[in-house]
Amino acid sequence: MYNLLKGKRGIIFGALDENSIAWKTAERIHEEGGIFVLTNAPAAMRLGSIDALAEKIGCQIIPADATSVSDLELLTDKAVEILGGKIDFVLHSIGMSVNVRKGNHYTNQNYEFTEKGWNVSAVSFHKLLQVLYKKDAMNEWGSIIALSYMAAQRVFPDYNDMADNKAYLESIARSFGYFFGRDKKVRVNTISQSPTATRAGQGVKGFGGFIAFADKMSPLGNATAAECADYIVVMFSDLTRKVTLQNLLHDGGFSNMGVSQEVMEMFE
């Protein structure tokens, strides 16, 4: 290990269980010398095992609803107090589609569900950025990352309204990232990860088949949650100080493929 994050402080949203990218990222940040607090909505925490991660790493949990500005304000103040200074890195790794959970097709959405999913998956990122910006809670050259997926740019029919949520998320990163960079010297980026067998991902219809397809399409194969955690560590480090406003593709090359020989052979 290289201690890439030694002395750096942060907040990690979304470490639900050991399969989640946020969980793997927390473990890697700990290995690289970073300190942080964990957070998730109280309802989500009851479904996961975030307590086990906190005990393993020796960090504190601050429950917070990411759609609540007042919760985010309290979270930020407590994090700065617990960690002993301003924040250097933040990971936003949360997303939810009630329409997907309820089996509603994209052409037959319940719009109350749509709004809830949009608020959790995308607008929460704007609220988080706004709170951190107004409170001047980030150190210069800090780094903020949100996790996305390439359905924000291309059609994946069963990804449903989450595709719209991710497109909105990426736009927020660019738009707010401009102000955060100009005024605070803070980086804001999204990472478009390979399909990954997390609890959220497995809720999408046909997800197992798509993971296999993406793996055959990608010259390097799918990127795992642990590999994504490695990438996030680099993005949180001082090695990427001038990378901002980007949607960074971490997918083994899938995004630039038309078709692979392996996929063609399935139809010949």
Side-chain angles (χ1 to χ4, degrees):
M1 303 306 162
Y2 303 98
N3 289 321
L4 287 176
L5 302 179
K6 186 175 182 180
K8 293 191 179 294
R9 312 176 184 95
I11 303 173
I12 297 178
F13 287 76
L16 191 62
D17 60 36
E18 62 275 8
N19 295 316
S20 73
I21 292 171
W23 184 294
K24 302 293 187 187
T25 302
E27 292 178 326
R28 285 294 289 115
I29 291 171
H30 177 67
E31 290 170 357
E32 293 292 343
I35 59 174
F36 51 87
V37 297
L38 298 168
T39 186
N40 213 327
M45 288 173 58
R46 288 192 293 270
L47 297 173
S49 47
I50 191 172
D51 289 341
L53 176 62
E55 183 176 352
K56 175 183 177 182
I57 291 177
C59 65
Q60 293 193 41
I61 304 169
I62 306 174
D65 178 354
T67 67
S68 166
V69 171
S70 60
D71 274 21
L72 291 172
E73 289 172 339
L74 185 60
L75 166 67
T76 301
D77 291 341
K78 283 189 174 181
V80 169
E81 179 184 347
I82 290 169
L83 298 173
K86 289 186 177 183
I87 304 301
D88 298 292
F89 60 85
V90 179
L91 176 63
H92 179 284
S93 180
I94 54 177
M96 184 255 323
S97 169
V98 186
N99 280 306
V100 169
R101 288 182 181 178
K102 298 293 186 180
N104 294 340
H105 194 269
Y106 186 77
T107 61
N108 185 37
Q109 292 189 39
N110 176 314
Y111 291 116
E112 290 184 6
F113 294 168
T114 304
E115 187 173 348
K116 287 179 181 178
W118 171 69
N119 199 13
V120 171
S121 305
V123 182
S124 65
F125 191 48
H126 193 287
K127 292 175 180 177
L128 170 64
L129 293 172
Q130 184 165 290
V131 167
L132 293 170
Y133 180 90
K134 285 186 172 183
K135 285 185 170 292
D136 193 27
M138 297 289 297
N139 277 319
E140 285 195 353
W141 306 111
S143 178
I144 302 170
I145 294 286
L147 292 182
S148 189
Y149 181 55
M150 68 173 301
Q153 291 85 33
R154 300 188 185 181
V155 177
F156 294 89
D158 290 325
Y159 203 61
N160 210 303
D161 56 340
M162 277 302 299
D164 304 330
N165 296 338
K166 293 300 187 184
Y168 195 85
L169 178 82
E170 291 177 13
S171 179
I172 290 169
R174 289 187 295 269
S175 298
F176 215 124
Y178 165 73
F179 298 104
F180 236 135
R182 185 194 68 181
D183 301 337
K184 310 287 188 180
K185 295 293 184 290
V186 171
R187 299 161 277 163
V188 182
N189 296 285
T190 55
I191 292 177
S192 186
Q193 165 71 359
S194 294
T196 310
T198 62
R199 183 177 294 190
Q202 290 171 336
V204 177
K205 180 183 176 183
F207 192 74
F210 182 65
I211 285 183
F213 170 77
D215 200 51
K216 287 184 178 294
M217 278 285 288
S218 307
L220 296 180
N222 289 336
T224 66
E227 289 166 337
C228 188
D230 289 338
Y231 193 25
I232 293 168
V233 164
V234 174
M235 290 306 302
F236 283 165
S237 78
D238 290 335
L239 300 177
T240 52
R241 278 192 167 199
K242 293 299 175 70
V243 181
T244 195
L245 313 186
Q246 304 300 310
N247 180 48
L248 302 160
L249 297 160
H250 187 249
D251 60 7
F254 179 90
S255 50
N256 274 326
M257 291 297 296
V259 68
S260 68
Q261 188 63 44
E262 291 82 357
V263 170
M264 286 294 292
E265 288 172 356
M266 295 169 64
F267 296 95
E268 290 178 342

